[in-house]
Amino acid sequence: MAESSRIRLLGEGWFGGLAVQVALLGAVLALWYVLVVGFDVPEWQLPTPARIFGSMVNDFTTIAPHLLSTSRNVLLGFFISVALGLSLAIVIYFNAPVGMTITPFINLMCIIPLITIVPLLMLWLGFGNEAKLIAVVLQSFPIVNLNAFASFSNVDPLRLELMQSLKATRYQTMRCCVLPDAMPGIFTGVKLAAILALIAEVTSEIVGGNTGLGAQIIQYTQYMKMPQAFACVFYTALFGALFHQSLSFIERQLVKK
Amino acid sequence: MSKIEMRGVSKKFMARREELLALCDINLRVEEGEFVCIVGPSGCGKSTIIRIIDDIIKPTAGVVKVDGVTYDNSLPIPRELVRKMGFVFQTSNLYPWLTVRENICLPLKIFGLRGREWAEYADFLIDRAGMAGSADQYPRSLSRGMSQRAGVVRAMVHRPEILLMDEPFGSLDERTRERMNVELLDIWRESGITVIFITHNISEAVLLSQRAYIMAIDPGRVIGDVEIRLKRRDLSALSDYHFVEYCDYINRSIGSIGLEKAI
Ligand SMILES: Nc1ncnc2c1ncn2[C@@H]1O[C@H](COP(=O)(O)OP(=O)(O)OP(=O)(O)O)[C@@H](O)[C@H]1O
Ligand SMILES: [Mg+2]
């Protein structure tokens, strides 16, 4: 009893964990501030956190459309990836020959950094959202597919035998047994896909075009507007963190074990 | 007409490119309302028999007949027979993401039995099994005995006529197992359900069944059956003279085969 309450004080539990994280973040920012001011680092090399936060507020109206464009592409690409990866996994699960044909290609897509073809995509499709969206989907759907299929295949055979005993249809088996059993594994893939989607989107923006946070970072650095460039970096990080947290929240609702 | 009949059933498994004859020419009959046990050493194919009856796996040869309707390797089991059977697994096999009640009602969902009376019947069974207090918990919080109870209730929730039980109480401690045995006998007497009960525990088989099929291994086959007539089927039977004799007989039947093999 005493043991467990002591452990909880050290940051177990939601609130404790959050408090520790906020304290740590505060410490890092404080150190940053002290170092920049102490060593007199020029602003074009590294601005203070205060200047960056200032820019996040003051330049918000300029940055907002880009934040919107980035998050729109990431979320849209992410949802397409999850839908595509998951439905493909279901098709493969029920159709072994199809699986044997396409799984090697999907594996390959997981290994190759698809960012390398972004310049080609932009050559073909221009600098608009289409090229970026395709890059995001190509980069993130394979990981969803791979994790989902692996967890489908790892479903406890005894649990499937119950479905077999009741002569459940394919749909019922999927709904009542395979999907819930595979849910933790599916979420591993989904959360990785969220990270990859953001990376793919921002990188594509850096490669070409002038919309999105990635493109803004490039432009601001070219004009030596470092607080603004860092503000964009911070907004990207903030979006990524929020995205990940929301997925973790959904995961906690769906995975009951 | 027998309730369940197996004729010439055999089953080969492919294990590491080698053929394994798990069952060889199995013939057995179970009458309506009968309580039959299948006893035999580990690995003799008891689970395989009961899984073939439930059509979880297909036999290599031979036919199964339930209520006069046949199914085999190529002939699929008719829909109406599926609903006549309930299967209890060796482990409780509850889904951890469903509550105990949701687990128990899963067959109703699969069979599309949505009416009020089905839900009420489920509640009645849950109550009867003394599980009303834990019905809304998740299975991980249940003891083994309670999980196994839930497994039995799940197999009965759609009012099957046949209960197929694969060593359901094998993993329980002696006392819990005895209590479950007595309760099972009560249920059987009340409902008139036909039961095939698998066990490797000879005294459990003698206590429960009206007839016991005795199996041997290599290849898995039935070497005989004993009709068991006890005056009373409850825990007091355990010290009955006849009870001990039956156990001894089955023990010797299994043992003699073992010896034969050794020579
Ligand atoms: N899917 C399978 N693939 C290959 N071999 C199998 C398979 N299922 C069972 N066997 C083999 O068939 C034989 C009979 O197995 P079965 O599970 O029916 O025995 P059992 O009498 O129920 O044993 P236990 O008392 O240990 O439960 C065993 O040798 C087993 O290894
Ligand atoms: Mg078995």
Side-chain angles (χ1 to χ4, degrees), chain B residues 46-47 90 166-167 198:
Chain B
K46 306 182 295 291
S47 300
Q90 207 156 348
D166 186 2
E167 292 195 47
I198 284 183

Side-chain angles (χ1 to χ4, degrees), chain A residues 158 161, chain B residues 35-52 54 56-57 86-93 148 151-152 155 163-171 177 184 195-201 204 215:
Chain A
L158 208 58
E161 271 191 16
Chain B
F35 197 128
V36 165
C37 277
I38 300 177
V39 269
S42 194
C44 69
K46 306 182 295 291
S47 300
T48 307
I49 287 190
I50 205 168
R51 280 154 82 213
I52 287 175
D54 199 35
I56 295 173
I57 54 177
F87 196 96
V88 183
F89 292 83
Q90 207 156 348
T91 58
S92 64
N93 201 13
Q148 211 53 42
V152 176
L163 202 52
L164 303 170
M165 310 180 85
D166 186 2
E167 292 195 47
F169 310 139
S171 62
R177 183 218 293 256
L184 178 62
V195 182
I196 298 185
F197 188 101
I198 284 183
T199 177
H200 56 244
N201 184 320
E204 186 176 45
M215 289 189 71

Side-chain angles (χ1 to χ4, degrees), chain A residues 81-101:
Chain A
S81 298
V82 171
L84 187 65
L86 214 54
S87 32
L88 219 53
I90 294 174
V91 170
I92 294 172
Y93 180 69
F94 284 122
N95 200 327
V98 173
M100 283 198 293
T101 323

Side-chain angles (χ1 to χ4, degrees), chain A residues 62-80:
Chain A
T62 335
I63 297 175
H66 299 285
L67 175 61
L68 212 65
S69 159
T70 299
S71 31
R72 193 198 74 104
N73 282 355
V74 170
L75 289 179
L76 191 60
F78 167 80
F79 284 125
I80 295 174

Side-chain angles (χ1 to χ4, degrees), chain A residues 157-189:
Chain A
L158 208 58
R159 291 183 186 153
L160 286 172
E161 271 191 16
L162 177 64
M163 290 290 115
Q164 176 69 16
S165 161
L166 299 171
K167 288 286 171 291
T169 61
R170 277 181 175 188
Y171 172 75
Q172 287 173 326
T173 305
M174 205 66 209
R175 214 12 274 272
C176 299
C177 179
V178 177
L179 270 181
D181 197 331
M183 205 46 97
I186 292 173
F187 260 95
T188 307

Side-chain angles (χ1 to χ4, degrees), chain B residues 4-6 9 52-53 59 62-66 69-72:
Chain B
I4 305 167
E5 196 180 337
M6 283 182 115
V9 168
I52 287 175
I53 297 175
V63 294
V64 187
K65 222 175 187 184
V66 171
V69 182
T70 310
Y71 49 99
D72 60 19

